[in-house]
Amino acid sequence: MRGRPASRTGSFTRRPLVAFAVAVVAAAVVAAAVGATGALPAGGSPSIAQQPAPQPAPAEPDLEVTFVSPSVPPTGTFELRFAPTTAVPPDSPMEVRIHRRLSGGSDLRAEVARVANGGSAGSVLQGPIELPAALLGNPAAGWIIPLQITNSSTGATGVLVVPDDGIHPVSLELVAADGSSLWERTVFMVRPPETAPVGRDGRPARTSVTLALGLDGPPSLTPDGRSVVDDELLSTLDDVAGLLEAVPEAPLSLAISPNLLTGAGRSETLTAEALTAALQRPGLRARSIRRTDVPVDVGGIITANGLDVLQDELAIGSRVVEAETLQRPVEHTWLLDDTLTPEALPAITALGTTRVVLPVDRLVLPDDTDDRTARSRTMVLTGGQPTTADEAPPAPLTVVADDPLLGLLSLEPDLDPGVVANLVAAELSGDWFNAVEDDTDSFPGPQSVLFVPPQIDPSVLLALVPALTGAGPLTADPEAVPPPAGPVDGEYLVAGLAPRTVVDQAGPVAEYRSSRTRIIGVRSVVGPVEPRVRTWDLVNAQSLARTLDPAVRLASHAAIDGESRELLGRIEAPPERKVVLTSRDATIPLRFRNGLPYPVDVGLRVRSSRLELPDGERQTVRLVPGENLVELRVTVRAPGESVVRVDVTSPDDSVGIDSVRLPVQASTISGVGAALSIASLVVLAWWWLVTVRRRRRRTVRDDGRHPSATPDPEGGSGSDPTDRVPRPPSPADGSVADGG
């Protein structure tokens, strides 16, 4: 079992450090008094006599470590805190032993784990320090043991000399009056170097830690938009809410699937109220990581040329998170996704991702790179083969394997919350010492991503926060840009993705796009006031969930289509009727009916072969609830009968709503038509006049007389026909004129 100390037969003399013990007890009393009341006891100095008398306790002690100082500067205080208890025998002293620093060669973290699992802690540097239980005060108020530490001998009373930086095991033991052991624990004191190492960027070399609280689940909405979050998921979300309320200062990176937030919010349960209150609590340090609305097959979507669909999934998920948390999610990290393929990496890079977090078995590592390195060092992620490089590759995408340390330790019921937090900090500090020993130029680069189980004891996080927010070797900031890749043993590590079979997503992508087009069209009609449109967005997004049954997917799209048709069906086009136009410029009155309780915008597409439309064939009009009269301006191009077709669509012309055909009788013509008609008549008259004159001239030639010689048909004074001079014969007649 983890947490057991080394054997009590170490290389030290069993001699209590009386002066030190007295100093420790005095400091503990002060700390207990300040912690309990917020001030020192009356008189300004601690008094042991003021402590309540110890209560009778059962034979078996029930001590629980709640806090261990995460790191100690060269001169400082190493503090231990215990939960209140009444199960401590009054005559049982606490013995403390500080061991020499661990020497793990190239893997100090492994040495920490070995000792934590019951291995030898090595020789003792200081101790045993015997602290009588009676002098520590009432255990029912919670013990606090502060140990004053320095790195060089100063001659001061009550100060322990710990000259070496590194990680020192510290053994704790409650001893019975007969010398037997009643209770044992081993914790670790982290002593960073007196001179803080500096990385290649000129800043303090520190390991970046991400505390990721991840939670996935199936689609949380039915096709008609009702919540279907089961009781187990609601219970887990309730745990998340409790954790955020208990430790709001924890620098968590929330990776909760947005669709679960939607489902919980629509469940109208106490869990939903508690979760919303926790996520929107002022001063909350946690930040959400951008995720797709539901877990989707990213590799399959990209293979189906669905980058636009992936963008939609991220946008919808971000809107949900922003609505629930009142904060924009951070976009630099991509995690909880084992569907990535080499083809998908450029896509997520273009979407703003700079770091990918994957299980170690989803990575192909360069030669001689072990899992520990993959979990503690930033590597470059490539779609090709893994390799190493002497210079930093230009690829902007990095990768690190998630570290299961916190999740595994939190599941061990025999470990105290303070011990779990101390072991996590100590093992991560072991990685830090390893990296510093390797080369400080590897910083920035070392990092660790720890997944936090939603059911974790909040006391563990409460004890771990100081290790991540203090001045030690570890730091956590959920909004900070992830560290770039750094050299490991002088080389940059380039990892690849393990192969996977891509599931065809062409069908789901096509169905999604079809529903998206319809939703966008309806939104352009009704605007943001119709809540069902947002529901359709969410249902459509959840239709791409990789665990969704195909029948449910089809039902989701059918529901979107049917409900949207019913909604738009409340907008009615004018009834068919005959229209008579008696002037060249006229208006056609169109009466629309809006059966919705809010104004809508519709598009009109008007077509006619004999009418011109001064306002264009495409028009957008606003319809208020009830009857609406729209005057359609027209100009008659030619008289006669024709048909005007009016199609009512969404303003973006993507969705049809209704249509009507109106017979039109035009009894007037336009100016152009009149001009053309007059011109035609003029041409016709001219042609007729020319034709008549030509015919008369032809007749005159045939008769051989001038038209003026024609007898007056009324018996007037025309020329006598007998006076007509005969025309001389032409050669064609064969006659010869007299010559003489």
Side-chain angles (χ1 to χ4, degrees):
M1 181 184 71
R2 301 187 75 141
R4 302 290 296 179
S7 170
R8 297 183 61 225
T9 59
S11 58
F12 54 84
T13 58
R14 194 172 167 77
R15 177 175 53 83
L17 305 179
V18 179
F20 180 78
V22 173
V24 168
V25 169
V29 172
V30 173
V34 173
T37 66
L40 292 174
S45 61
S47 172
I48 296 178
Q50 293 173 337
Q51 297 295 319
Q55 299 295 321
E60 292 295 331
D62 184 23
L63 278 177
E64 180 181 277
V65 179
T66 59
F67 175 77
V68 180
S69 293
S71 62
V72 181
T75 298
T77 302
F78 181 68
E79 188 173 271
L80 303 165
R81 298 179 189 172
F82 296 83
T85 180
T86 59
V88 176
D91 56 349
S92 302
M94 176 73 73
E95 292 187 355
V96 180
R97 300 173 180 84
I98 301 177
H99 298 261
R100 296 187 181 278
R101 68 178 180 181
L102 297 175
S103 177
S106 62
D107 195 352
L108 186 56
R109 175 172 174 171
E111 274 295 289
V112 173
R114 181 189 63 78
V115 174
N117 279 304
S120 173
S123 61
V124 174
L125 179 66
Q126 293 283 357
I129 305 160
E130 187 173 290
L131 306 173
L135 296 180
L136 288 177
N138 185 3
W143 284 347
I144 299 177
I145 302 177
L147 304 177
Q148 300 301 316
I149 306 295
T150 185
N151 62 344
S152 62
S153 178
T154 62
T157 302
V159 179
L160 294 173
V161 178
V162 181
D164 300 321
D165 58 62
I167 301 178
H168 297 263
V170 178
S171 301
L172 310 174
E173 184 175 13
L174 191 67
V175 183
D178 60 2
S180 62
S181 178
L182 297 176
W183 176 91
E184 298 175 338
R185 290 292 186 274
T186 296
V187 296
F188 298 88
M189 176 193 298
V190 177
R191 277 286 313 278
E194 183 172 2
T195 301
V198 176
R200 64 184 185 278
D201 61 351
R203 299 180 178 180
R206 306 179 76 187
T207 293
S208 174
V209 180
T210 299
L211 290 179
L213 196 160
L215 183 61
D216 275 344
S220 61
L221 299 179
T222 61
D224 59 358
R226 292 178 293 107
S227 172
V228 288
V229 181
D230 58 34
D231 291 341
E232 183 178 354
L233 270 175
L234 284 175
S235 176
T236 302
L237 290 171
D238 198 50
D239 292 333
V240 172
L243 192 62
L244 297 177
E245 285 288 347
V247 198
E249 67 271 29
L252 294 169
S253 294
L254 302 179
I256 303 173
S257 183
N259 87 99
L260 295 183
L261 299 179
T262 299
R266 297 192 175 207
S267 68
E268 299 181 352
T269 60
L270 293 178
T271 294
E273 296 178 7
L275 184 60
T276 299
L279 290 172
Q280 298 181 5
R281 172 175 177 161
L284 185 69
R285 185 79 189 279
R287 292 293 181 271
S288 293
I289 292 177
R290 180 185 62 172
R291 299 192 63 195
T292 54
D293 187 59
V294 287
V296 300
D297 190 328
V298 174
I301 289 176
I302 295 302
T303 301
N305 295 319
L307 178 59
D308 60 313
V309 175
L310 184 60
Q311 288 175 310
D312 284 354
E313 278 285 342
L314 291 171
I316 292 171
S318 295
R319 286 199 297 269
V320 170
V321 169
E322 191 168 354
E324 295 294 333
T325 67
L326 306 182
Q327 296 174 348
R328 289 184 59 83
V330 295
E331 300 181 353
H332 49 57
T333 297
W334 194 282
L335 77 174
L336 288 174
D337 184 1
D338 58 359
T339 68
L340 289 178
T341 59
E343 294 77 17
L345 297 184
I348 66 171
T349 301
L351 294 172
T353 302
T354 60
R355 174 179 66 169
V356 175
V357 180
L358 291 172
V360 71
D361 60 2
R362 284 290 298 129
L363 295 173
V364 182
L365 304 176
D367 293 339
D368 301 325
T369 301
D370 57 15
D371 291 355
R372 178 188 63 81
T373 301
R375 291 180 174 126
S376 61
R377 298 298 187 93
T378 307
M379 302 175 289
V380 174
L381 182 59
T382 178
Q385 294 299 313
T387 184
T388 58
D390 294 333
E391 300 292 335
L397 201 59
T398 64
V399 66
V400 65
D402 63 86
D403 193 331
L405 175 64
L406 179 58
L408 294 175
L409 290 179
S410 65
L411 295 177
E412 296 199 19
D414 296 333
L415 287 182
D416 302 339
V419 173
V420 171
N422 176 251
L423 288 179
V424 170
E427 290 202 26
L428 296 184
S429 296
D431 283 334
W432 181 83
F433 277 106
N434 292 337
V436 169
E437 182 69 21
D438 173 29
D439 187 357
T440 57
D441 280 348
S442 63
F443 292 90
Q447 65 170 311
S448 181
V449 178
L450 305 172
F451 277 103
V452 180
Q455 296 83 8
I456 193 171
D457 185 347
S459 299
V460 173
L461 279 188
L462 197 63
L464 183 59
V465 166
L468 305 177
T469 57
L474 310 177
T475 181
D477 183 353
E479 294 184 286
V481 176
V488 179
D489 294 330
E491 294 183 318
Y492 290 85
L493 304 179
V494 181
L497 289 173
R500 65 174 290 263
T501 302
V502 177
V503 179
D504 183 20
Q505 296 293 305
V509 165
E511 293 163 356
Y512 171 88
R513 284 178 174 145
S514 177
S515 290
R516 179 183 63 184
T517 298
R518 186 160 191 83
I519 293 169
I520 292 174
V522 174
R523 180 178 288 111
S524 70
V525 174
V526 300
V529 298
E530 176 54 62
R532 280 182 290 180
V533 177
R534 181 174 180 272
T535 297
W536 299 335
D537 268 334
L538 298 172
V539 171
N540 196 32
Q542 294 189 26
S543 73
L544 290 168
R546 60 177 181 256
T547 60
L548 190 64
D549 184 89
V552 178
R553 178 179 294 115
L554 291 177
S556 298
H557 294 299
I560 293 171
D561 183 76
E563 290 185 20
S564 63
R565 289 182 185 278
E566 184 274 332
L567 182 72
L568 296 180
R570 301 186 190 182
I571 302 172
E572 302 175 11
E576 182 175 328
R577 63 184 179 85
K578 186 172 184 179
V579 177
V580 177
L581 302 179
T582 59
S583 61
R584 186 173 63 87
D585 295 319
T587 59
I588 300 177
L590 302 176
R591 294 190 177 275
F592 296 86
R593 177 171 178 78
N594 175 14
L596 295 171
Y598 44 77
V600 298
D601 295 319
V602 297
L604 302 181
R605 186 171 61 242
V606 185
R607 287 171 290 177
S608 174
S609 60
R610 291 177 176 262
L611 300 179
E612 292 182 353
L613 303 166
D615 297 325
E617 292 186 355
R618 289 287 308 165
Q619 302 176 32
T620 299
V621 298
R622 167 153 288 203
L623 306 178
V624 299
E627 297 291 336
N628 292 260
L629 176 63
V630 176
E631 300 284 354
L632 180 65
R633 294 197 307 139
V634 298
T635 299
V636 177
R637 187 184 301 163
E641 294 185 351
S642 63
V643 173
V644 174
R645 179 181 176 89
V646 181
D647 294 321
V648 186
T649 68
S650 59
D652 63 357
D653 204 28
S654 63
V655 177
I657 299 176
D658 203 352
S659 64
V660 63
R661 293 168 58 89
L662 301 175
V664 176
Q665 174 67 51
S667 59
T668 184
I669 58 176
S670 65
V672 175
L676 292 175
S677 299
I678 293 173
S680 299
L681 291 175
V682 170
V683 171
L684 182 61
W686 177 81
W687 175 82
W688 177 80
L689 180 61
V690 170
T691 302
V692 169
R693 293 186 65 183
R694 285 179 179 173
R695 185 177 298 132
R696 292 181 65 186
R697 288 194 181 109
R698 188 179 304 113
T699 301
V700 170
R701 285 197 303 270
D702 292 343
D703 293 343
R705 55 187 175 85
H706 193 274
S708 62
T710 303
D712 186 353
E714 299 296 329
S717 58
S719 301
D720 189 345
T722 60
D723 296 338
R724 201 173 43 170
V725 179
R727 64 185 177 89
S730 65
D733 297 331
S735 303
V736 179
D738 292 340

